[in-house]
DNA sequence: CTGATCTTGCACAGGTGTGTGCAACCTAAG
DNA sequence: CTTAGGTTGCACACACCTGTGCAAGATCAG
């Protein structure tokens, strides 16, 4: 929606600075969820005042940050599927973790904060739907639990992932260990025994735990 | 430690107002974790200024609130034990839930906030130790998972309980349903399959899911 | 009733944060 | 080079919070 009559193209450094602001915000909010615009702008090599040339408010900045991140996750997860619901769930766990692992604290604050519904209901809506579908299919197949509503189970699965996120923020957890924990915790919430969960892990090591080829 | 020479007993309404402040704080912080002293004092029928007659600072108020709550939970949990680690874990889940169910949001903010370590390492330290012991014993018995460090499993079990707490804050969950969810989620994190978890629930319904006799 | 205990109401100091306005100043586009 | 696009640095207004001081009033103990 081009509203004003541009007599000249926007300067190229504008977009660059905007991106720098988003990057800086991601990094700073990853360290301190309540980082002020001042420190974010400084980290981007700009002034607080300049931020308002790119974003109407602090909230708008963070919201865009969250949406970009959510879109990234959604894209990463959409790139791989499996017909087996249990394996698919494990796969989702791995993909999400890989994409989020380096911005754990930031993810945590978004997912625990007021942006939660906006993000989970927005770009990540399809992901939730996929989890619910997997849970339901697993239940019908006999692999997953049938004692709880699939919607609730999906929430517990997601909650288990968030628990791992919490744990990984408190005590350092490596990338590989994080993957394993997310998958095991998720399958546990789905109703698998720990042996079954490990069987899944072992039977599909290539897709679940091994590093992607460079 | 009686520091000043009291020529007269303290007024009886002082203690009452102090308790009212704690109650109001519990209620208000249950609605808004960042409730100001102003609204808390008002809810207690007092002025913000009067608060400082009872507590040296806002932080001290909240800290005392958290410690009182933690002590309550610790006492409730200490009143009942079982030698079977799996059943004991389920029992702990039930007892904690019953004690916390009516202050879910408040509990959530304490447990997710900076007071976490102070509380979990303080009055609730023994509870964590008990969970770790149960997890370890369950692993040795063959009932619980052995693929993860007991300390990590304990964290996952606690995390599962917190997930249920989150879920119950978002969508209303009855007292009985909460109990069931906490236990099932906890045993799932321990490594039981959903059928095994339900078997435990069924075999000990009296102690796990039924209301205590009045 | 008397007086210590508590509460009130107001004021103030100090802090932190967001959002705006504006003149001066760089810097890239043409 | 010219000029619009972008940034700076300063100013201010505003909101909100905590913590304190102090005089005046209310309230309970003895």
């Amino acid at each position: 929606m081009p509203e004003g009559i541009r007599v000249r193209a926007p300067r190229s450094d504008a977009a660059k600075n905007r991106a720098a602001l988003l990057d800086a915000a991601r990094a700073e909010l990853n360290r301190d969820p309540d980082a002020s615009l001042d420190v974010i702008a400084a980290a981007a090599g700009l002034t607080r005042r300049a931020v308002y040339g790119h974003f109407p408010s602090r909230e708008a900045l963070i919201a865009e940050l969250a949406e970009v991140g959510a879109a990234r996750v959604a894209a990463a997860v959409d790139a791989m599927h499996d017909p087996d619901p249990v394996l698919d769930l494990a796969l989702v766990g791995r993909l999400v973790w890989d994409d989020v692992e380096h911005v754990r604290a930031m993810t945590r604050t978004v997912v625990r904060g007021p942006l939660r519904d906006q993000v989970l209901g927005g770009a990540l809506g399809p992901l939730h739907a996929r989890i619910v579908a997997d849970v339901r299919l697993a239940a019908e197949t006999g692999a997953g639990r049938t004692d709880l509503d699939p919607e609730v189970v999906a929430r517990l699965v997601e909650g288990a992932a968030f628990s791992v996120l919490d744990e990984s923020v408190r005590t350092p957890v490596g990338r590989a260990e994080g993957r394993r924990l997310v998958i095991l915790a998720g399958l546990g919430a789905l109703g698998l025994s720990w042996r079954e969960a490990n069987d899944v892990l072992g039977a599909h090591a290539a897709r679940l735990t091994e590093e992607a080829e460079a």
Side-chain angles (χ1 to χ4, degrees), chain A residues 153-169:
Chain A
V153 177
R155 287 263 165 73
L156 289 182
V157 170
E158 294 160 6
F162 294 153
S163 291
V164 173
L165 195 62
D166 287 341
E167 173 71 5
S168 80
V169 166

Side-chain angles (χ1 to χ4, degrees), chain A residues 19-133:
Chain A
L21 276 174
L22 285 171
D23 280 355
R26 176 162 39 235
E28 291 307 309
L29 293 175
N30 202 37
R31 286 204 293 106
D32 173 17
D34 295 322
S36 71
L37 276 190
D38 232 328
V39 319
I40 292 175
L46 293 184
T47 323
R48 185 175 72 91
R49 189 61 186 82
V51 176
Y52 291 96
H54 297 283
F55 303 93
S57 73
R58 172 204 166 85
E59 201 185 345
L61 205 191
I62 300 184
E64 175 157 341
L65 197 58
E67 276 178 29
V68 168
R72 268 183 52 90
V73 171
V77 162
D78 247 26
M80 218 177 275
H81 285 261
D82 194 282
D84 175 8
V86 174
L87 179 53
D88 194 63
L89 220 41
L91 205 51
V92 166
R94 184 239 155 99
L95 292 170
V96 170
W97 181 260
D98 281 8
D99 206 60
V100 151
E101 180 254 348
H102 64 114
V103 277
R104 286 174 255 199
M106 171 69 192
T107 303
R108 190 163 170 269
T109 65
V110 168
V111 119
R112 298 271 186 228
L115 284 174
R116 184 198 174 97
D117 293 347
Q118 179 190 325
V119 167
L120 264 53
L124 292 187
L127 176 53
H128 176 70
R130 178 171 165 189
I131 294 175
V132 173

